[in-house]
Amino acid sequence: MAEMQQIVLKRYCEGPPVPEDFALETAALPEPKEGQFRVAHVWCSVDPGTRSRLSGGDSYAMALPLGKPIDGFSVGVVDASQNEAFPVGTKVFCAGGWKTHSIQSGRGFIGKVPEAPVPLSAWIGVLGVPGLTAWFGMKTVAKFKEGDAVLVTSAAGPVGATAGQLAKAWGASKVVGIAGADSKCEFLTGEAGFDAAINYKTASDLTADIAEHFPKGVDVLFDNVGNEMVNRVLPLMALNGRICISGQVADYNLTPEETPGIINTKPFITHRVNIQGLVVFDFAREFPEALQTMASLLASGKLKSNEERFDGIAAMPKAFCGLFRGENFGRRVVKVGEEA
Ligand SMILES: NC(=O)c1ccc[n+]([C@@H]2O[C@H](COP(=O)([O-])OP(=O)(O)OC[C@H]3O[C@@H](n4cnc5c(N)ncnc54)[C@H](OP(=O)(O)O)[C@@H]3O)[C@@H](O)[C@H]2O)c1
């Protein structure tokens, strides 16, 4: 019998996830039915937002039941098809999960990989959901304007690094990133072209350091970290400043009771600050245009991205858990199959 492999949730996570929360399973290789096709995944991603489904309680996404495969993005090749639009051999990116194969119908988050001189794995990285989150978070949610002074948190991650680089490319007066290692800060001010970077783990007074970089206030806060960071930056926002809540990586591991509230609310009135959360899939119709532009930027070397590659589906839990310890330097992708 032909087989596939997948990683399932073995027990609910408490606090930061550990590899023991997950199990590797072998299952029968599924066959596509009428209208469906099967994707043999080559690369799968690990994403911090996945954590929000792993505690057993609903958040903005429904809780994942025990024993079910973990969500994630995949890029691979159609290897069996009953759907004329996706014949065998088509390269696609999709929400395939932590699996070697997935059955797709052509609906939901799925697309054909466009011809472009970029690695296949980029389509679940800077040209996948992280890049799109950066694009729509900065452009549509934060309503970026030329001349804005921009602060990005978790800035060396795939979302943050892309958000800062797009802001620079679109004419920001200043882009400052916050990250948790000197090597990450060096990447931001070097290759990624940020104007400055702050290591929040070694800063003696992070708020004062941020304030020093923004004498006229922060026009855009692109936050990937969570409420404590938002509380810290709110009093530093400029008049008509905008905050995009992209992610809450520091809060995903906390219970609702442990999660800090937003308390520094006066600037909402005094400085007319706007705060808005992002769900990138709200902008799905506009993805192709954004991807085309970002693919050109990436191919021409104007958009930089770091990728960390792991080998074998069994490595997925370890790759995922490291995201919550700051171990990743850019997008983490796991090779689960061959491209040919
Ligand atoms: N809204 C949407 O539609 C959408 C879509 C996709 C992703 N997202 C969100 O976007 C954010 C960024 O995603 P990403 O893929 O680029 O991941 P990422 O920023 O690389 O996330 C991992 C990094 O987060 C930082 N981190 C981990 N725990 C932390 C803590 N307790 N406090 C502060 N920083 C911590 C670490 O970097 P340091 O070493 O710098 O601390 C770590 O390397 C995530 O929160 C994700 O959920 C949102």
Side-chain angles (χ1 to χ4, degrees), residues 46-50 52 60 73 129-130 132-134 153-161 178-181 184 199-201 222-226 229 244-253 277-282 322-332:
V46 289
D47 300 79
T50 300
S52 57
Y60 61 89
F73 301 102
V129 167
L132 292 164
T133 301
T153 65
S154 197
V159 173
I178 299 181
K184 294 183 179 184
N199 181 342
Y200 71 92
K201 288 186 179 161
F222 189 107
D223 185 47
N224 293 306
V225 166
M229 188 63 80
C244 169
I245 303 296
S246 159
Q248 300 178 314
V249 69
D251 296 345
Y252 293 151
N253 292 318
L278 163 72
V279 174
V280 69
F281 298 105
D282 290 349
L323 299 176
F324 302 92
R325 293 195 296 268
E327 288 173 2
N328 66 304
F329 192 164
R331 183 62 159 169
R332 285 192 157 179

Side-chain angles (χ1 to χ4, degrees), residues 21-273:
D21 297 332
F22 306 92
L24 175 64
E25 269 187 359
T26 299
L29 187 66
E31 291 299 328
K33 298 194 180 91
E34 182 68 35
Q36 295 181 329
F37 54 96
R38 187 175 67 209
V39 183
H41 300 163
V42 178
W43 295 99
C44 291
S45 67
V46 289
D47 300 79
T50 300
R51 172 66 184 85
S52 57
R53 295 193 66 200
L54 306 182
S55 295
D58 293 344
S59 64
Y60 61 89
M62 272 183 1
L64 189 74
L66 291 178
K68 291 287 180 197
I70 311 296
D71 301 329
F73 301 102
S74 317
V75 62
V77 186
V78 175
D79 74 344
S81 180
Q82 294 217 45
N83 182 322
E84 281 179 6
F86 291 88
V88 169
T90 311
K91 288 183 187 166
V92 296
F93 54 82
C94 58
W98 294 12
K99 304 176 188 173
T100 55
H101 298 76
S102 65
I103 294 290
Q104 302 288 335
S105 65
R107 291 188 292 276
F109 182 69
I110 183 144
K112 294 181 185 176
V113 171
E115 280 301 324
V118 299
L120 191 62
S121 53
W123 295 99
I124 52 168
V126 67
L127 302 180
V129 167
L132 292 164
T133 301
W135 180 286
F136 290 101
M138 190 59 77
K139 199 182 183 90
T140 313
V141 175
K143 299 185 174 54
F144 175 85
K145 297 192 304 291
E146 202 177 326
D148 276 344
V150 175
L151 178 66
V152 182
T153 65
S154 197
V159 173
T162 310
Q165 289 179 78
L166 289 175
K168 276 301 275 188
W170 294 336
S173 60
K174 175 177 269 194
V175 175
V176 177
I178 299 181
D182 288 346
S183 54
K184 294 183 179 184
C185 291
E186 279 158 25
F187 162 75
L188 292 173
T189 53
E191 269 188 82
F194 283 44
D195 297 287
I198 305 169
N199 181 342
Y200 71 92
K201 288 186 179 161
T202 54
S204 57
D205 185 342
L206 180 58
T207 310
D209 286 356
I210 298 169
E212 201 174 311
H213 286 293
F214 292 94
K216 295 184 189 158
V218 177
D219 294 305
V220 169
L221 167 63
F222 189 107
D223 185 47
N224 293 306
V225 166
N227 287 355
E228 197 181 313
M229 188 63 80
V230 173
N231 276 326
R232 187 185 291 280
V233 182
L234 260 168
L236 307 178
M237 295 300 293
L239 191 65
N240 297 314
R242 288 138 277 141
I243 299 175
C244 169
I245 303 296
S246 159
Q248 300 178 314
V249 69
D251 296 345
Y252 293 151
N253 292 318
L254 305 178
T255 62
E257 297 71 37
E258 291 167 338
T259 307
I262 293 184
I263 50 171
N264 287 335
T265 54
K266 283 202 180 108
F268 293 134
I269 294 177
T270 57
H271 287 65
R272 285 64 150 186
V273 169

